[in-house]
Amino acid sequence: MSKFSNQTKSFIVLFSLAVVGTYMCAMLWPDLASFSYKSYSYQATPTLQNSIAPVPQKPAIPKVDTSLWKDYSNKDYGFSFKYKPDWKIKTLTSIKNFKIIEIDPGAKYYNIKIYISPKEFYVMDGLPTKTEIIAGKEALNVSDILYGIKTDTNYFTFDIGLSLSLMSDFMALVHSVKFE
């Protein structure tokens, strides 16, 4: 009986792995067996038209009645907003170039924060945004959880933090903002 060289043993192992891998791919992805280049159209910028899945629609965020909410007004920064009656507004604090207003929705939630700066938005650089109008001002919206509104003198960043279950209330608060 002849002995196999190390090269032969390596070849047998790699060949076996290739066969097993091909078999597993064919079993896991049966669409590969019917793959056809004819089913795709190529343009100057190639796109795979037949492989694009429909984009799921975001569920509509329910409208919130704010008629019984309390009003918060800050004359120093020239703005006001509505907030739920059982929420508490904490004392204004500072971190670096930002003044921070914290809104405490209760023990089981993280605080909603409003960052105010004369120079910049808080943590919004580089994030994908869509634009909308809030209180007559152009507002940057990051996935309905972070809003940036610039006035003549300040940048306001509204941050829901980790309390995503409060999204409809947070959006109602942001959309109730008024600037003087």
Side-chain angles (χ1 to χ4, degrees):
M1 187 165 183
S2 67
K3 292 186 176 182
F4 294 109
S5 70
N6 285 339
Q7 288 177 327
T8 305
K9 290 177 188 175
S10 296
F11 174 77
I12 292 170
V13 169
L14 289 174
F15 182 77
S16 300
L17 286 172
V19 169
V20 170
T22 302
Y23 175 77
M24 291 187 70
C25 283
M27 297 309 292
L28 293 174
W29 296 306
D31 292 339
L32 289 178
S34 62
F35 179 78
S36 168
Y37 286 105
K38 293 177 186 173
S39 66
Y40 296 96
S41 67
Y42 293 93
Q43 301 165 359
T45 305
T47 59
L48 301 177
Q49 292 179 344
N50 290 344
S51 66
I52 298 174
V55 177
Q57 295 296 318
K58 236 176 22 173
I61 296 171
K63 299 283 183 195
V64 175
D65 178 16
T66 61
S67 61
L68 299 177
W69 284 20
K70 292 182 178 179
D71 289 310
Y72 171 85
S73 182
N74 188 305
K75 302 252 185 257
D76 293 336
Y77 295 103
F79 82 114
S80 63
F81 60 85
K82 290 182 167 271
Y83 65 100
K84 290 181 83 170
D86 56 334
W87 292 1
K88 309 234 180 318
I89 305 291
K90 294 186 150 204
T91 306
L92 190 77
T93 59
S94 297
I95 295 178
K96 297 187 180 181
N97 294 328
F98 296 95
K99 299 291 184 187
I100 305 166
I101 298 170
E102 288 191 60
I103 303 145
D104 182 359
K108 62 182 184 177
Y109 300 104
Y110 289 92
N111 290 349
I112 294 169
K113 295 180 182 175
I114 302 170
Y115 297 88
I116 306 166
S117 169
K119 297 180 182 179
E120 62 190 329
F121 291 121
Y122 182 76
V123 301
M124 291 189 69
D125 289 343
L127 295 176
T129 61
K130 61 183 179 185
T131 305
E132 62 184 86
I133 302 298
I134 297 176
K137 306 283 184 191
E138 187 175 282
L140 301 177
N141 176 347
V142 178
S143 301
D144 299 328
I145 60 173
L146 191 65
Y147 284 86
I149 305 171
K150 183 181 181 322
T151 64
D152 294 335
T153 55
N154 288 303
Y155 291 80
F156 293 83
T157 307
F158 296 80
D159 183 5
I160 193 172
L162 297 175
S163 297
L164 297 180
S165 62
L166 297 175
M167 187 175 289
S168 56
D169 293 328
F170 172 72
M171 289 180 64
L173 179 151
V174 172
H175 286 87
S176 75
V177 170
K178 293 181 180 151
F179 296 100
E180 298 169 4

